Amino acid sequence: MLSRTADHLFWMSRYIERAESPACRASAQAHMSEANVTPELKPVGFGAAKAGGLRPAVQGETTC
Amino acid sequence: MNFYNEMYDANGGVRAHYKGYEDWLKATPPERIERKRAEADLAFHRVGITFAVYGEEAGKERLIPFDIIPRVIPSAEWKSLRSGLRQRVKALNMFLHDVYHDQEILKAGKIPAEQVLNNAQFRPEMMGVDLPGNIYAHIAGVDIVRAGEGEFYVLEDNLRVPSGVSYMLEDRKMMMRLFPELFAKHKVAPVQHYPDMLLEKLRAVAPKGVSNPTVVVLTPGAYNSAYFEHTFLAQQMGVELVEGRDLFVKDEVVYMRTTQGPRRVDVIYRRLDDDYMDPLAFRADSSLGVPGILKAYQAGNVTLSNAIGTGVADDKSIYPYVPDMIRFYLGEEPTLNNVPTYMCRKPDDLKYVLDNLAKLVVKEVHGAGGYGMLVGPASTREQIEHFRQLLIAKPDGYIAQPTLALSNCPTFVEEGIAPRHLDLRPFVLSSGDCVDMVPGGLTRVALTKGSLVVNSSQGGGTKDTWVLED
């Protein structure tokens, strides 16, 4: 295998690995925003979910 | 002008070799054809058979339009084309060997020496360098057009890095997938063995003493217009696709960097222009090439395919002399015709060209890809005047040819089926005494009504090319 190809494969896996942790955080926040949490925590959850590219789960719910 | 139609004769009857296809076309419901054409578009998109057009902003790459009406060549006609191509490519290779060695043809006065020696494509670095089998152009893409029954003209000999062979192979694959019933009825000569043939030829020209040569395809990178083809050929031949930075030269030997350490490279099928090959020898600002590769090449430790300096034989200013080359080296009369060419550097020719600009096709001597040319009968007065100024300013940069009545073939266009002009590019492979090619080649078709320019970069499409076996 060419060294360049190996190098590209390595970095591709690194980036996938790196993408995993923000994805986990976003999904956790999305769950939190669906659950019955205190009103002052809600915007935090929505904000993180939005940053992670997720849409609000509840219809009619406004995001911050 | 009366154009030769590939499918119908002058009285509107179907030519014998198109009979089977025409019957099929008539019997097939238009909805089915429409559906199949949409399917073909989708499939080409999925496979990613694209062509990048430089200077076009909207999307970096685009599909080459594929037409489902094949170009059919009867066996007898192909046999005569094939012998003409063999003869021509053989003579061109002999010319290149001669020009970089004893220069007999210049001494005999057949070609003016200054035309060759002062040519920008002439590489003095190649003087006296012996190549395996004395072959310079291992792969040649000769552009052929038809003007009448059995009347074929060579438009260009592409001896540097001819492209398009992947479209030839993909077009056939697509045709067989869409309309298998046609191939059950017709004896179409196969072309799929092209990559095997190419690999065999490349291995045959390995440096002396190498028994199991390592072949690679060298690409300028993903931004090149023919990158799809580079990946395609490397994958089909089962060899590595390398960029300049994957190679290095140590003690005049070329190696590629692999995960198992350096590995020696014997044959490089390079899809990179001479100018960019070696920053130490040619353009110093090239980051695509391999420093020191020319030294390794001159020492005979690696084979480049095609050789450095082949451009001197396919240059448009040398083109008019090819029939003389065939007579000089082979002692034969050329089978394929050359288009009569006016060389604007000659005062008499220039005068004629300036007087008849509206009738002629004017081309830049070093131009390619359909850029920088004027098709007199299809141009506006302003375009003609613009070229007149260019010609007067730099006559030796241009040649002119009469406008050929290119043959046409029925083609699917927006309004339905209409005749469009086409050409043919067979890919001729040489090694040692053996000159070979797969039957047919790439048929390009100009999709704009009346247009005579078939280049993909100018919006041309392609057709599958069938050589019928007896």
Side-chain angles (χ1 to χ4, degrees), chain B residues 24-292:
Chain B
W24 173 87
L25 193 60
K26 274 194 183 140
T28 311
E31 308 85 62
R32 172 154 190 265
I33 294 200
E34 213 33 65
R35 206 172 58 238
K36 289 286 181 183
R37 286 184 62 211
E39 202 178 299
D41 271 356
L42 191 67
F44 272 113
H45 249 296
R46 288 228 179 103
V47 186
I49 305 164
T50 57
F51 182 88
V53 176
Y54 296 129
E56 215 176 64
E57 277 307 308
K60 274 211 172 61
E61 301 195 348
R62 69 166 181 225
L63 289 176
I64 296 199
F66 166 70
D67 187 66
I68 60 157
I69 301 180
R71 192 249 181 92
V72 185
I73 304 173
S75 145
E77 208 163 70
W78 171 248
K79 275 182 191 142
S80 101
L81 272 176
R82 188 176 58 189
S83 70
L85 285 163
R86 285 200 168 125
Q87 177 192 50
R88 192 168 173 107
V89 172
K90 206 169 180 182
L92 284 165
N93 270 312
M94 290 174 85
F95 167 74
L96 282 162
H97 179 76
D98 186 24
V99 155
Y100 291 118
H101 289 82
D102 300 330
Q103 304 187 336
E104 300 289 350
I105 197 163
L106 305 184
K107 285 176 196 153
K110 297 282 179 198
I111 301 176
E114 79 275 3
Q115 273 296 300
V116 173
L117 305 179
N118 298 338
N119 195 305
Q121 297 297 325
F122 177 76
R123 304 285 176 190
E125 295 87 351
M126 290 298 293
M127 282 307 291
V129 177
D130 291 316
L131 299 183
N134 295 339
I135 300 292
Y136 285 73
H138 311 94
I139 301 118
V142 183
D143 287 347
I144 296 178
V145 295
R146 177 214 285 281
E149 183 76 51
E151 197 187 335
F152 289 99
Y153 287 93
V154 173
L155 273 191
E156 258 170 43
D157 308 282
N158 296 290
L159 306 178
R160 293 172 228 188
V161 280
S163 64
V165 76
S166 57
Y167 306 121
M168 168 185 96
L169 297 169
E170 287 295 330
D171 285 355
R172 173 60 57 83
K173 219 196 265 172
M174 191 60 66
M175 262 327 249
M176 292 182 84
R177 181 172 146 181
L178 295 177
F179 310 111
E181 71 270 25
L182 280 173
F183 290 86
K185 269 188 246 153
H186 292 83
K187 275 193 186 168
V188 181
V191 295
Q192 276 90 341
H193 54 295
Y194 178 84
D196 298 333
M197 202 179 203
L198 176 61
L199 184 60
E200 186 192 308
K201 297 281 176 208
L202 291 172
R203 289 171 64 96
V205 291
K208 272 194 205 85
V210 180
S211 57
N212 188 15
T214 302
V215 179
V216 298
V217 177
L218 174 64
T219 171
Y223 294 103
N224 186 269
S225 65
Y227 185 66
F228 166 73
E229 181 158 305
H230 307 161
T231 57
F232 178 87
L233 286 175
Q235 187 239 341
Q236 292 286 310
M237 291 195 289
V239 304
E240 291 285 359
L241 176 70
V242 303
E243 291 181 19
R245 56 191 160 136
D246 298 320
L247 300 178
F248 69 95
V249 179
K250 193 171 174 246
D251 300 329
E252 300 189 342
V253 174
V254 183
Y255 298 93
M256 65 176 157
R257 304 172 210 272
T258 75
T259 47
Q260 274 110 48
R263 182 160 160 214
R264 190 175 166 162
V265 172
D266 305 297
V267 182
I268 302 178
Y269 177 28
R270 51 105 176 197
R271 298 293 299 250
L272 191 60
D273 286 338
D274 285 1
D275 279 336
Y276 296 95
M277 277 304 286
D278 188 344
L280 297 181
F282 306 114
R283 277 180 70 150
D285 61 345
S286 166
S287 55
L288 303 170
V290 186

Side-chain angles (χ1 to χ4, degrees), chain B residues 315-377:
Chain B
D315 193 83
K316 291 190 177 68
S317 63
I318 300 296
Y319 166 85
Y321 300 105
V322 177
D324 287 332
M325 286 177 201
I326 296 173
R327 291 185 197 105
F328 184 80
Y329 294 115
L330 303 172
E332 297 169 9
E333 272 306 302
T335 310
L336 295 170
N337 302 314
N338 242 34
V339 186
T341 304
Y342 304 100
M343 286 172 264
C344 300
R345 68 190 164 78
K346 292 186 184 164
D348 288 352
D349 284 12
L350 179 64
K351 188 174 178 305
Y352 176 83
V353 171
L354 289 176
D355 290 345
N356 294 283
L357 267 182
K359 278 192 263 170
L360 300 170
V361 175
V362 184
K363 294 178 181 171
E364 257 178 50
V365 169
H366 303 302
Y371 294 101
M373 63 185 281
L374 172 88
V375 183

Side-chain angles (χ1 to χ4, degrees), chain B residues 380-444:
Chain B
T380 61
R381 194 176 290 267
E382 287 80 53
Q383 284 169 322
I384 291 176
E385 284 314 307
H386 173 66
F387 255 80
R388 189 185 304 278
Q389 298 311 321
L390 290 176
L391 276 172
I392 293 168
K394 193 171 175 280
D396 55 354
Y398 295 89
I399 56 149
Q401 293 168 338
T403 311
L404 288 177
L406 297 199
S407 68
N408 57 30
C409 181
T411 302
F412 274 97
V413 290
E414 268 176 40
E415 309 88 85
I417 300 178
R420 290 291 182 267
H421 295 292
L422 38 71
D423 82 344
L424 175 69
R425 177 182 282 185
F427 295 89
V428 186
L429 303 175
S430 309
S431 71
D433 285 336
C434 171
V435 184
D436 257 327
M437 64 205 89
V438 297
L442 175 69
T443 295
R444 297 183 297 175

Side-chain angles (χ1 to χ4, degrees), chain A residues 1-40:
Chain A
M1 188 193 279
L2 283 177
S3 307
R4 182 168 52 87
T5 314
D7 191 52
H8 289 170
L9 286 172
F10 172 78
W11 282 106
M12 190 177 72
S13 4
R14 268 303 270 140
Y15 284 128
I16 293 171
E17 210 179 343
R18 283 183 192 177
E20 214 179 312
S21 98
C24 278
R25 206 176 307 148
S27 118
Q29 297 285 18
H31 280 300
M32 257 173 72
S33 64
E34 277 173 31
N36 204 1
V37 287
T38 52
E40 60 271 21

